[in-house]
């Protein structure tokens, strides 16, 4: 793909001043810096912007470009001829150019990491709520050194490499000349401290992995995929910052005969041919026990009855769902001779001449020898 005109990349007209080029670069590099802009093509745009600035900010290269365009740049133009090994990536470009404003203080208090836990609950626990205990494996403050990282009874000294600042200065060659920037101290990791002796239990980190038991209140009406936040139950904060949170995500197990959709529940009621044809009063299960349901005569398979407010309560307390009972008329598989006789009689009255089919091999054999 052909390269875009460098002036077009920076949104400038040919002949733009050095100050205009610099302002345009500052504005666009901030907008498309990969640490700030999470769009898929942000990194490519940032590279394109930096390449355009690297050429147009250099008087000699700018003259060549203005005369010959990209053809005048040769193989060494732009980023193609530069060695950026050890340059440190986009964060160093950005922080070098803008005075290190993108870096955060390594000693500043920071909130601990959030955690997530997948909890399986029964249908009944989800419907009615429950109190459960879970075991979570997470980082906790080391109880041997109380989070300091130093072996008890030993001293903590100021880091000799960074002088306690947590950062060290590094000089680098960049497209903009030799630039001095700051990086996290490699010896103390930004803490500004050295241990006379590291804690034998946590190795100087001030924290260790431990399995912690946590009580969780399952809210009544919760459904699969919903979650609750347990504030401060995540991993401990850094440099005195607050602890993270624990998010408990629920997975509700299936019920033996109820199905659920939101706050509504569904039940399939099996009826005999006689019950469906003549009508009946039957008992059906609900979440609170059985209730009586009147079946009108002539009820067909698929008929649905609604039991108002017999479903699941809303997890936020906004009302309650319904229970829907769907009829399934069952054809008898085994019948007595009397039952079969009555059904044949019913069919004759109804105008149907039923030719009964043998039910199995033995019936077929009997009928064969009888000459039927």
């Amino acid at each position: 793909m052909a390269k875009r005109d460098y002036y077009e990349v920076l949104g400038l007209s040919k002949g733009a001043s050095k100050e205009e080029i610099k302002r345009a670069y500052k504005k666009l590099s901030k907008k498309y810096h990969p640490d700030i802009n999470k769009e898929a093509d942000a990194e490519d745009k940032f590279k394109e912007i930096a390449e355009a600035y690297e050429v147009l900010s250099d008087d000699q290269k700018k003259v060549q470009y203005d005369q010959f365009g990209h053809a005048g740049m040769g193989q060494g133009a732009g980023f193609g001829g530069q060695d950026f090994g050890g340059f440190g990536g986009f964060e160093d470009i950005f922080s070098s150019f803008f005075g290190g404003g993108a870096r955060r203080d390594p000693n500043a208090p920071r909130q601990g990491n959030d955690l997530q836990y997948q909890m399986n609950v029964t249908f009944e626990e989800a419907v009615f709520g429950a109190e459960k205990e879970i075991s979570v494996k997470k980082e906790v403050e080391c109880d041997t050194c109380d989070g300091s990282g130093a072996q008890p009874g030993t001293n903590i000294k100021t880091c000799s490499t960074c002088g306690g600042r947590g950062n060290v200065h590094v000089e680098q060659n960049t497209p903009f000349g030799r630039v001095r920037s700051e990086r996290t101290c490699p010896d103390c990791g930004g803490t500004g401290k050295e241990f006379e002796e590291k804690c034998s239990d946590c190795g100087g980190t001030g924290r260790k992995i431990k399995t912690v038991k946590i009580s969780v209140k399952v809210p009544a009406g919760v459904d699969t995929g919903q979650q609750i936040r347990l504030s401060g139950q995540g991993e401990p904060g850094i440099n005195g910052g607050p602890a993270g949170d624990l998010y408990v995500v629920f997975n509700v197990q299936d019920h033996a005969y109820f199905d659920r959709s939101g706050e509504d529940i569904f039940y399939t009621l099996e009826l005999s041919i006689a019950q469906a044809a003549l009508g009946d009063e039957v008992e059906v299960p609900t979440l609170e026990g059985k209730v009586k349901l009147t079946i009108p005569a002539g009820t067909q398979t698929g008929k649905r009855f609604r039991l108002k407010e017999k479903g699941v309560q809303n997890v936020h307390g906004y009302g309650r769902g319904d229970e829907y009972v769907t009829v399934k008329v069952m054809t008898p598989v085994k019948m007595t001779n009397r039952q079969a006789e009555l059904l044949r009689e019913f069919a004759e009255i109804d105008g149907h001449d039923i030719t009964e089919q043998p039910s199995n091999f033995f019936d077929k054999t009997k009928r064969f020898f009888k000459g039927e």
Side-chain angles (χ1 to χ4, degrees):
M1 193 170 100
K3 281 188 177 184
R4 286 202 301 156
D5 179 81
Y6 286 147
Y7 289 101
E8 180 188 339
V9 169
L10 296 179
L12 299 170
S13 301
K14 192 172 181 180
S17 68
K18 240 181 178 180
E19 191 58 38
E20 288 174 325
I21 292 169
K22 187 174 181 179
R23 278 201 307 267
Y25 173 71
K26 275 191 175 185
K27 179 181 176 182
L28 292 171
S29 60
K30 279 184 179 180
K31 180 178 179 181
Y32 292 106
H33 189 279
D35 288 347
I36 298 173
N37 191 319
K38 299 304 179 184
E39 294 177 9
D41 60 348
E43 185 171 330
D44 291 335
K45 286 183 178 178
F46 184 82
K47 287 179 180 179
E48 185 182 42
I49 292 161
E51 181 178 336
Y53 179 76
E54 191 262 334
V55 171
L56 298 182
S57 63
D58 184 290
D59 292 337
Q60 187 177 349
K61 289 180 181 178
K62 183 175 182 295
V63 170
Q64 282 184 294
Y65 182 76
D66 288 345
Q67 282 186 304
F68 306 106
H70 291 298
M73 294 295 94
Q75 292 299 315
F79 287 129
Q82 297 283 346
D83 177 12
F84 291 97
F87 183 67
F90 295 116
E91 184 178 346
D92 285 325
I93 294 176
F94 193 75
S95 60
S96 298
F97 193 85
F98 297 105
R103 289 191 177 277
R104 65 183 179 188
D105 181 2
N107 290 312
R110 298 200 301 276
Q111 183 170 354
N113 292 327
D114 292 336
L115 299 175
Q116 187 183 85
Y117 182 89
Q118 300 282 338
M119 177 187 277
N120 292 324
V121 294
T122 65
F123 189 90
E124 289 79 8
E125 287 171 336
V127 169
F128 299 111
E131 191 89 23
K132 301 193 74 173
E133 189 176 72
I134 61 175
S135 297
V136 178
K137 198 173 184 179
K138 65 173 184 175
E139 277 193 344
V140 297
E141 190 176 87
C142 177
D143 51 11
T144 301
C145 64
D146 294 327
S148 70
Q151 183 69 16
T154 63
N155 296 321
I156 300 175
K157 301 181 295 182
T158 299
C159 175
S160 57
T161 302
C162 66
R165 295 187 308 274
N167 292 319
V168 292
H169 291 105
V170 179
E171 289 192 352
Q172 300 167 297
N173 290 320
T174 76
F176 321 114
R178 193 163 182 78
V179 175
R180 194 182 189 206
S181 62
E182 277 192 345
R183 287 188 182 172
T184 301
C185 177
D187 292 331
C188 68
T191 64
K193 296 176 288 188
E194 280 183 359
F195 302 118
E196 188 176 76
E197 186 181 346
K198 291 181 179 179
C199 174
S200 58
D201 202 7
C202 67
T205 62
R207 45 181 71 199
K208 58 185 180 180
I209 301 296
K210 187 177 179 181
T211 299
V212 180
K213 292 188 180 297
I214 300 172
S215 179
V216 178
K217 187 174 182 180
V218 180
V222 74
D223 206 352
T224 293
Q226 293 180 331
Q227 65 180 19
I228 58 172
R229 178 174 67 92
L230 302 182
S231 179
Q233 294 288 357
E235 293 188 335
I238 299 168
N239 299 327
D245 300 326
L246 172 64
Y247 291 86
V248 180
V249 183
F250 296 100
N251 177 51
V252 182
Q253 297 170 352
D254 292 335
H255 193 269
Y257 45 80
F258 285 130
D259 291 318
R260 178 180 174 182
S261 177
E263 279 85 52
D264 295 329
I265 62 171
F266 301 84
Y267 174 74
T268 298
L269 174 65
E270 295 182 352
L271 295 177
S272 69
I273 293 176
Q275 286 176 302
L278 302 175
D280 197 2
E281 185 176 77
V282 298
E283 287 187 334
V284 295
T286 69
L287 295 175
E288 285 84 18
K290 293 183 177 181
V291 299
K292 291 189 179 297
L293 177 65
T294 300
I295 305 297
T299 294
Q300 303 294 310
T301 285
K303 171 70 177 177
R304 177 180 283 185
F305 298 92
R306 176 190 177 201
L307 302 180
K308 191 175 180 181
E309 296 186 350
K310 291 294 184 182
V312 182
Q313 76 172 61
N314 180 276
V315 71
H316 302 295
Y318 305 134
R320 185 170 179 175
D322 302 321
E323 178 176 341
Y324 292 91
V325 179
T326 303
V327 168
K328 181 179 180 181
V329 180
M330 305 299 292
T331 302
V333 177
K334 293 181 179 180
M335 292 184 291
T336 64
N337 291 334
R338 178 59 178 155
Q339 287 173 322
E341 182 183 343
L342 289 172
L343 280 177
R344 280 193 293 270
E345 184 179 341
F346 177 84
E348 288 172 4
I349 295 172
D350 209 31
H352 297 289
D353 185 15
I354 302 297
T355 303
E356 189 177 356
Q357 299 299 311
S359 58
N360 54 45
F361 173 78
F362 296 106
D363 286 341
K364 290 179 182 178
T365 304
K366 288 179 184 178
R367 288 172 181 267
F368 174 79
F369 285 111
K370 286 181 180 179
E372 296 179 358

